[in-house]
Amino acid sequence: MEQLLRAELRTRSLRAFGSPGAGYISEGRAYDTDSGAVFVKVNRRSQARQMFLGEMASLEAIRATGLVRAPQPIKVIDLPGGGAAFLMEYLKMRSLSSQASQLGEQIADLHLHNQKLGEKWKEEESTVGRRAEGAEPQYATKFGFHTVTCCGFIPQVNEWEEDWPAFFFRHRLQAQLDLIEKDYADREAQELWSQLQVKIPDLFCGLEIVPALLHGDLWSGNVAENDEGPIIYDPASFYGHSEFELAIASMFGGFPRAFFTAYHSKIPKAPGFERRLQLYKLFNYLNHWNHFGQEYRSPTLGTMRKLLK
């Protein structure tokens, strides 16, 4: 591995430091090199390259906004014997605490960024001579992403859709339930789903949803801070409904109340927010069931029942 890293990073010196990190999906290690510190994530799964390329594209999209700090990606490399490694900037981190409010504001700004780009585009469109003829808009008008991203190790289809409920139904909920059916053939899950799916459109009645660039997996293990400010990492980005982001953030603890207070000071809760949050939590419970097994069956079915009341 070290010989491969020396060649890919074009460095003579390569010294591992700190403790190796073992996450739920991949392993990581930090190294000092001739040009500074790097962090290397390794995964031996057959789909590791696809996972890391999606993460790299996500980091690039987030960093391009200039609104919240994330590691700079370097490259994805194939490993002898299978799997891949993702090389990125090393950032010294500690658990999010004192900067939770600042992160809440930054995530809200990230979610509003595409809307503001759209408003600017429309303003320029109505001003003669402000924009080059034939220029393409720089904002996303649909929901999706330009490449596959993985939430955990499960690939997510991000084909562009004009309608958010249709995108979320087909490419998030139904995709997860298809995996549940394949691996568990859980009759109760399918029965509840058949009742629930017809009610989903009602949760979005009268709601105008502008595509927002999302981190896509914003749980407490994917955020941190250092002396320079908040940091987010391990994204699975796409353009979606901003409320989707808050479901995983509000599950399993780890985010101080100050995060949500600061976020909602910029993006207030829309009517029906709490029920839609349950719907978005359902996706995350399904995703956890597919990753970690039957211990997540009960909260998944419980969330379905809540939504049917």
Side-chain angles (χ1 to χ4, degrees), residues 132-208:
E133 186 176 346
E136 291 296 322
Q138 298 302 304
Y139 71 101
T141 60
K142 299 180 181 181
F143 301 93
F145 203 52
H146 62 277
T147 190
V148 170
T149 53
C150 296
C151 192
F153 56 73
I154 296 175
Q156 299 185 127
V157 173
N158 289 322
E159 292 176 358
W160 296 102
E161 295 267 6
E162 292 187 1
D163 181 65
W164 165 251
F167 175 93
F168 181 64
F169 178 92
R170 183 178 303 119
H171 298 315
R172 294 299 182 264
L173 289 179
Q174 189 64 64
Q176 291 284 339
L177 280 148
D178 287 346
L179 292 175
I180 296 293
E181 174 64 18
K182 175 176 173 287
D183 293 338
Y184 299 99
D186 192 292
R187 181 176 296 178
E188 187 173 2
Q190 290 302 321
E191 289 176 352
L192 289 169
W193 176 235
S194 67
Q195 298 172 54
L196 178 59
Q197 57 185 292
V198 297
K199 294 180 177 291
I200 289 175
D202 295 341
L203 298 177
F204 298 94
C205 282
L207 196 67
E208 182 182 357

Side-chain angles (χ1 to χ4, degrees), residues 122-134:
K122 289 171 185 174
E123 180 184 328
E124 291 181 353
E125 189 176 39
S126 63
T127 305
V128 177
R130 286 287 302 278
R131 199 183 67 225
E133 186 176 346

Side-chain angles (χ1 to χ4, degrees), residues 1-6 8 26-28 31 40-50 52 75-87:
M1 169 65 96
E2 291 199 356
Q3 184 176 353
L4 178 62
L5 290 177
R6 286 178 196 274
E8 292 290 342
S26 303
E27 299 175 355
Y31 295 88
V40 180
K41 286 177 67 174
V42 174
N43 190 287
R44 297 287 179 178
R45 292 177 179 271
S46 59
Q47 68 267 43
R49 166 169 277 273
Q50 183 183 53
F52 288 149
K75 62 170 62 176
V76 175
I77 60 174
D78 294 316
L79 297 178
F86 181 21
L87 286 54

Side-chain angles (χ1 to χ4, degrees), residues 22 48 55 81 125 133 179 185 190 202 238 292 297-298 301 304:
E55 183 179 343
E125 189 176 39
E133 186 176 346
L179 292 175
Q190 290 302 321
D202 295 341
F238 63 99
F292 307 118
R297 179 180 186 270
S298 180
L301 301 188
M304 285 179 155

